[in-house]
Amino acid sequence: MELFKAVESRRSVKHFDVTAEMPAEDFTRLVQATMLSPTSYNIQHWRFLRITDISLRSQLKDAAWGQQQVEGASELIILCADINAWSDRPERYWADAPKEARDVLVPMLTEFYKGKEQLQRDEAIRSCGLAAQTMMLAAKSMGYDTGALVGFDPERVAELINLPEGYLIGMMIVIGKAAKVANGRGGQLPIDEVLFENTF
Ligand SMILES: Cc1cc2nc3c(=O)[nH]c(=O)nc-3n(C[C@H](O)[C@H](O)[C@H](O)COP(=O)(O)O)c2cc1C
């Protein structure tokens, strides 16, 4: 599907065909495409937790106030991020760059994030947001429907998935085939309410 069409037709789907399965090659292709999303200093904070255990799915649904798409979609991914990725062997993020570039960028990124806890967390969340949108649009272009979710008890989900120290949960993403089309759009703001020029 052409990108603009995917952007315009992507909707948050709540009811999925529970019999539909996503072939392994589609799943891998989707994750690999998502991993091409941009991140500050190429830090790639994202950690994709694919939930394949049926009973865990059911417990996660309960933790998500019973939202059926958590259990009914073909795939459930909990999009997490390593807040400390900036300091975890950062030379990896520039492994394929020329040495001269790596030698500049690695100390630069370390200095940029060192001691700035709010920024470290903000950056991890930003990376999740970009990954999420890539994943949803790429999935749409591959013929799948998706939904993002933050309607869950984060502490319970963290406990269920054994979230490592220093990680955060960005959101859940469900992927599959819609069983029911999404309702009409809630209402987009007019462009002049959100688009500004030069200063506010
Ligand atoms: C980060 C995020 C979290 C969301 N959480 C939920 C959720 O828990 N349950 C739900 O039904 N929809 C959830 N949504 C879907 C939004 O309600 C939806 O994106 C919005 O109404 C716009 O509709 P559209 O995505 O169909 O264009 C979430 C969306 C985003 C981006």
Side-chain angles (χ1 to χ4, degrees):
M1 184 187 287
E2 190 251 322
L3 177 62
F4 231 84
K5 194 156 188 290
V7 170
E8 289 170 340
S9 60
R10 179 219 55 83
R11 297 297 316 283
S12 294
V13 165
K14 326 268 181 205
H15 303 275
F16 287 87
D17 176 353
V18 295
T19 65
E21 288 183 12
M22 189 172 190
E25 59 271 24
D26 280 6
F27 182 81
T28 304
R29 185 174 176 222
L30 180 60
V31 174
Q32 284 178 333
T34 303
M35 290 169 62
L36 298 176
S37 305
T39 50
S40 174
Y41 285 104
N42 200 33
I43 293 173
Q44 304 162 71
H45 304 79
W46 43 65
R47 303 292 180 261
F48 304 97
L49 184 67
R50 180 188 194 183
I51 308 295
T52 54
D53 182 298
I54 292 168
S55 104
L56 181 55
R57 277 267 203 132
S58 170
Q59 293 176 81
L60 287 164
K61 182 184 91 169
D62 293 343
W65 325 127
Q67 296 194 73
Q68 57 189 298
Q69 62 271 44
V70 173
E71 204 171 20
S74 308
E75 295 285 344
L76 169 63
I77 292 178
I78 307 190
L79 180 42
C80 301
D82 178 358
I83 300 167
N84 301 312
W86 66 276
S87 61
D88 181 12
R89 294 161 291 148
E91 60 286 350
R92 292 180 295 151
Y93 312 137
W94 293 97
D96 298 338
K99 184 179 178 318
E100 313 81 72
R102 186 166 57 248
D103 288 350
V104 170
L105 286 162
V106 173
M108 197 189 277
L109 87 84
T110 305
E111 202 48 46
F112 191 71
Y113 290 102
K114 196 170 62 183
K116 297 176 194 146
E117 285 184 14
Q118 174 80 46
L119 179 63
Q120 293 163 15
R121 192 180 169 82
D122 289 350
E123 209 58 78
I125 294 172
R126 262 194 283 273
S127 296
C128 278
L130 286 158
Q133 187 66 337
T134 301
M135 182 168 265
M136 292 190 286
L137 292 179
K140 188 73 203 172
S141 80
M142 291 167 77
Y144 294 95
D145 298 292
T146 59
L149 290 95
V150 287
F152 53 81
D153 173 349
E155 284 175 14
R156 177 67 182 139
V157 172
E159 183 186 12
L160 285 169
I161 65 173
N162 195 22
L163 186 75
E165 185 74 29
Y167 279 36
L168 56 78
I169 301 174
M171 68 195 82
M172 291 183 183
I173 297 187
V174 289
I175 308 161
K177 299 281 184 181
K180 214 169 122 189
V181 294
N183 294 329
R185 289 188 187 277
Q188 304 310 116
L189 294 173
I191 193 166
D192 59 6
E193 206 176 309
V194 297
L195 177 65
F196 303 90
E197 197 166 330
N198 299 322
T199 56
F200 282 100

